[in-house]
Amino acid sequence: MEENKYNGNVIYNILKKDIISLKLKPGESIKETEISKKLNVSRTPVREAFIKLATENLVKVTPKRGSYVSLISTTQILEGFFLRLNMEKAILFSACKHFPPEYLIRLKENLKIQKLLLESSQDYINFHKFDNLFHSIIYEGCGMKGIWDLIEQHCSHYHRLRVLWDSSIEAVNLNKTVQGHEKIIELIELSKDNEIETVVNNHIKTLVDTLDELKSNFPDFFEE
């Protein structure tokens, strides 16, 4: 049987997306043989993907239990929150000083898509995708895309909490996220750097404030 073009890095990205979107749930067993059969590849690239995911604490590989999706780490959520909170303030200070007009247009177009997703389908997975893209555009516009990539690498557990939150709350709270993005655009467009502290705290801290409630509602998904 001829193998397809999937390599270890592609498989890693597929599995990471499924883990962060909670398509693969915390604690769920995943087997190299099943993944290789599903994607029509040998076990070697799948094993490479598992090793990479394990280094990011998204997959646990144990001799007796096999491999399974890591539980959502409270410690890593709080680390991700600290990183996002402080870097977001810094990048917005930079954006308020100078931000290319073409990137401001991209932010506004992205926000339109977020609003359409809420109005038409309540598709929180795609909403989360465009939410992340919104913030990445700011970093890219400030010439700091590498910093965003670093944040993405260290915030996987934070993002899983976000998806869990998005999937278990009413749309009114997602509208608050949109309102936060509207305020961020206003900060950049009008250079309101004196309001950054308040806006970022309100926009990012809301998620972490729900942590105890989500841990209570989904106790099998979390670890300290």
Side-chain angles (χ1 to χ4, degrees):
M1 185 184 300
E2 184 180 353
E3 290 191 354
N4 58 32
K5 60 183 180 181
Y6 292 117
N7 57 35
N9 195 51
V10 172
I11 297 168
Y12 157 81
N13 286 322
I14 291 171
L15 292 176
K16 183 171 182 178
K17 180 181 177 181
D18 286 348
I19 290 169
I20 290 178
S21 69
L22 302 184
K23 183 176 179 180
L24 288 171
K25 293 181 171 49
E28 182 175 340
S29 173
I30 50 174
K31 295 181 173 61
E32 289 181 9
T33 51
E34 292 179 358
I35 300 296
S36 61
K37 183 177 180 180
K38 179 180 178 181
L39 298 179
N40 187 28
V41 295
S42 71
R43 292 179 62 177
T44 299
V46 178
R47 189 174 299 113
E48 291 172 0
F50 275 33
I51 291 171
K52 192 171 181 180
L53 289 165
T55 63
E56 296 182 20
N57 195 28
L58 289 174
V59 165
K60 296 285 188 184
V61 180
T62 60
K64 294 182 179 180
R65 288 190 57 190
S67 300
Y68 61 96
V69 178
S70 298
L71 298 178
I72 303 174
S73 166
T74 301
T75 298
Q76 289 190 244
I77 287 170
L78 295 177
E79 289 177 355
F81 165 69
F82 179 86
L83 184 59
R84 278 295 305 272
L85 185 69
N86 288 283
M87 290 310 304
E88 204 81 4
K89 292 174 184 178
I91 204 68
L92 284 176
F93 273 114
S94 177
C96 283
K97 287 180 172 41
H98 173 71
F99 197 70
E102 62 270 24
Y103 283 89
L104 191 59
I105 291 170
R106 286 176 60 188
L107 284 180
K108 292 179 178 180
E109 290 174 345
N110 176 286
L111 188 59
K112 287 180 182 177
I113 295 173
Q114 291 181 42
K115 291 179 178 179
L116 285 173
L117 286 170
L118 290 188
E119 292 170 2
S120 62
S121 65
Q122 296 293 310
D123 185 348
Y124 64 88
I125 296 296
N126 267 324
F127 181 87
H128 182 253
K129 172 185 171 182
F130 281 95
D131 181 354
N132 274 352
L133 180 58
F134 178 90
H135 292 277
S136 74
I137 291 169
I138 300 173
Y139 284 78
E140 186 179 346
C142 292
M144 296 288 179
K145 185 180 181 300
I147 300 297
W148 176 256
D149 292 341
L150 179 67
I151 290 170
E152 284 288 270
Q153 183 180 349
H154 289 278
C155 287
S156 295
H157 289 256
Y158 176 88
H159 289 321
R160 286 205 287 171
L161 180 73
R162 175 60 193 274
V163 172
L164 187 61
W165 183 68
D166 286 348
S167 66
S168 59
I169 62 174
E170 297 180 357
V172 64
N173 292 310
L174 293 181
N175 284 325
K176 288 180 181 177
T177 298
V178 168
Q179 291 166 10
H181 290 162
E182 289 175 331
K183 193 65 179 176
I184 287 171
I185 289 175
E186 181 183 324
L187 293 181
I188 296 172
E189 196 164 24
L190 302 179
S191 299
K192 292 184 174 181
D193 57 7
N194 61 312
E195 297 183 18
I196 289 173
E197 187 85 16
T198 299
V199 171
V200 173
N201 284 341
N202 289 340
H203 186 60
I204 295 181
K205 193 170 182 293
T206 302
L207 175 60
V208 174
D209 286 343
T210 68
L211 179 56
D212 287 341
E213 180 182 354
L214 288 171
K215 288 172 69 174
S216 176
N217 292 340
F218 302 92
D220 294 338
F221 281 8
F222 289 89
E223 66 181 359
E224 293 304 317

